[in-house]
Amino acid sequence: MLETRRLTVRYGRTTAVDALDLALADDEIVTLVGPTGCGKTSVLRAVAGLLPPSDGEIRLGALHIDARHDVPPEKRGVGLVFQDFALFPHLSVADNVAFRLRDRRPAEHWIERLGLAAHRQAMPDTLSGGQKQRVALARALAHAPALMLLDEPLASLDAALKAELRWEIRDALKAAGIPALWVTHDQTEALSVGDRMGVMHAGRLEQIATPDVCFRLPATRFVARFLGDAAFVPGRLEADRLVTAIGHAPAPRDCAGERVDVLVRPDDLSLQPAAGGDGGNGHVAWARYEGETRLYGIGLDHGDTLRVRTNHEHDYARGTRVAARICAEHPLAAFPPAD
Ligand SMILES: Nc1ncnc2c1ncn2[C@@H]1O[C@H](COP(=O)(O)OP(=O)(O)OP(=O)(O)O)[C@@H](O)[C@H]1O
């Protein structure tokens, strides 16, 4: 449906997007995530037709767009949803959603589907942030776009609403069978709503894969750190296992090199108070209560600090002698040693 080939966007001397190759399947939701300034919005704006590609090509269905062949935004068949909703303030909810539609039935369908029926006649400034975003989404969906582009659609909403609305948006896109490119700087959002996610860094895609692959088997240390707490423990590859001083785990299929740094995240580790034959390998340096879980900083005897997440029931005081061990049964990512 959408394909970019070496898409490049420059602003003067700044290269915001650097030879990006990206392809979306017909009903696929792909999230684009990365730190501020990495170029996510520029990708979206180039695909939407809001700025021209400096180099490379965009294929949207049968359309071919490049620096010399522009297609105006309204001829691209894309729907846009922005962080700031962009509703018409002088039109009611119903008229916003049905704007420029000859047949109002699709507008009615999405008003019902997105829980806006009671607000049909309301004006935008009387709606909550979540309701405004539902209206913006209904308006975009009512035009049955071939592709939906979402730019930080949940950024101005509070945490509880974000969590609820991201599933609603995903469900609505899936129900309509519309593929989407969804830009966010929120890792949890990118991990949870994308069929695949692309992690961008300095104008380039560092990795594009399913969320669980990006999280468990990041392609680079940058992706590992960007998507969550990451520690790198020295280890070695023995047959099909990664062996470290704090335990072992299956090696990924493509693991190469005898000496490696093994990625361990806080939930790949378990914590036991040192007792009996196990004298432990460190002590509790700090503890944070998180509600369902607790996060501990464990000062290992050889000097490094590891973060370990446990169930909230395990309450260890600072200074407690403990054994931190790898408990992950899935393959852990391995990288060439840093030194
Ligand atoms: N209109 C512009 N003129 C000049 N430079 C720009 C312009 N828009 C963006 N840039 C630069 O291009 C780079 C990428 O910006 P872009 O907005 O695409 O990143 P982003 O990943 O979406 O960031 P954010 O999450 O902060 O929105 C940044 O270095 C930014 O400063």
Side-chain angles (χ1 to χ4, degrees):
M1 165 61 228
L2 167 69
E3 192 177 346
T4 70
R5 295 186 182 175
R6 302 193 64 73
L7 173 65
T8 301
V9 176
R10 293 188 203 96
Y11 302 98
R13 287 188 180 171
T14 306
T15 300
V17 181
D18 193 2
L20 185 103
D21 290 328
L22 178 72
L24 253 74
D26 280 349
D27 60 350
E28 194 182 25
I29 299 176
V30 171
T31 49
L32 267 190
V33 69
T36 184
C38 71
K40 331 179 267 300
T41 298
S42 299
V43 174
L44 207 77
R45 291 172 64 81
V47 174
L50 303 175
L51 54 84
S54 311
D55 247 314
E57 191 185 344
I58 298 168
R59 294 186 176 213
L60 261 174
L63 301 174
H64 291 199
I65 298 143
D66 60 30
R68 275 164 300 165
H69 302 98
D70 191 22
V71 175
E74 64 278 11
K75 299 246 167 80
R76 295 191 181 200
V78 298
L80 293 168
V81 176
F82 299 104
Q83 170 181 349
D84 63 1
F85 321 125
L87 301 180
F88 302 112
H90 56 290
L91 296 182
S92 67
V93 164
D95 289 343
N96 258 283
V97 177
F99 186 72
R100 286 210 176 127
L101 284 181
R102 271 197 218 112
D103 177 358
R104 292 179 72 102
R105 279 173 298 181
E108 278 307 310
H109 169 78
W110 288 111
I111 285 172
E112 292 281 344
R113 175 79 165 70
L114 291 169
L116 293 166
H119 306 284
R120 249 189 213 95
Q121 300 314 322
M123 300 307 281
D125 63 0
T126 66
L127 301 176
S128 70
Q131 288 164 340
K132 284 182 192 164
Q133 200 51 296
R134 284 188 182 89
V135 176
L137 181 68
R139 185 177 60 188
L141 288 166
H143 286 81
L147 171 71
M148 189 72 94
L149 301 171
L150 304 109
D151 191 3
E152 304 272 8
L154 306 175
S156 36
L157 307 177
D158 66 46
L161 196 53
K162 258 185 197 167
E164 179 190 325
L165 201 52
R166 67 173 168 244
W167 296 115
E168 275 191 54
I169 297 179
R170 184 184 152 87
D171 288 350
L173 289 167
K174 288 293 177 189
I178 297 174
L181 190 59
W182 179 325
V183 162
T184 176
H185 64 269
D186 179 329
Q187 290 90 334
T188 311
E189 191 174 311
L191 284 161
S192 55
V193 297
D195 298 316
R196 286 187 302 151
M197 67 189 293
V199 183
M200 285 188 71
H201 182 213
R204 290 176 171 269
L205 260 185
E206 293 251 335
Q207 184 169 16
I208 180 158
T210 56
D212 62 326
V213 167
C214 289
F215 188 75
R216 285 185 177 189
L217 298 173
T220 63
R221 288 179 191 246
F222 170 82
V223 175
R225 290 196 182 98
F226 185 72
L227 294 184
D229 266 328
F232 299 92
V233 176
R236 57 187 192 282
L237 180 63
E238 284 187 11
D240 58 355
R241 297 198 72 79
L242 296 168
V243 180
T244 76
I246 56 166
H248 50 90
R253 244 179 301 161
D254 55 355
C255 190
E258 200 189 327
R259 281 181 60 228
V260 288
D261 282 351
V262 179
L263 168 66
V264 285
R265 297 201 185 277
D267 54 322
D268 294 326
L269 297 163
S270 68
L271 212 54
Q272 298 289 333
D278 191 345
N281 56 6
H283 67 278
V284 173
W286 49 261
R288 287 184 202 150
Y289 181 61
E290 299 178 321
E292 290 174 5
T293 52
R294 292 177 195 267
L295 184 66
Y296 289 100
I298 304 302
L300 295 177
D301 294 340
H302 64 72
D304 287 350
T305 300
L306 280 180
R307 289 167 175 238
V308 182
R309 185 163 278 115
T310 70
N311 187 290
H312 63 95
E313 290 161 356
H314 303 289
D315 185 5
Y316 305 123
R318 265 180 67 182
T320 304
R321 180 101 192 128
V322 288
R325 305 270 178 233
I326 292 175
C327 62
E329 289 173 8
H330 59 84
L332 295 182
F335 296 90
D339 53 24

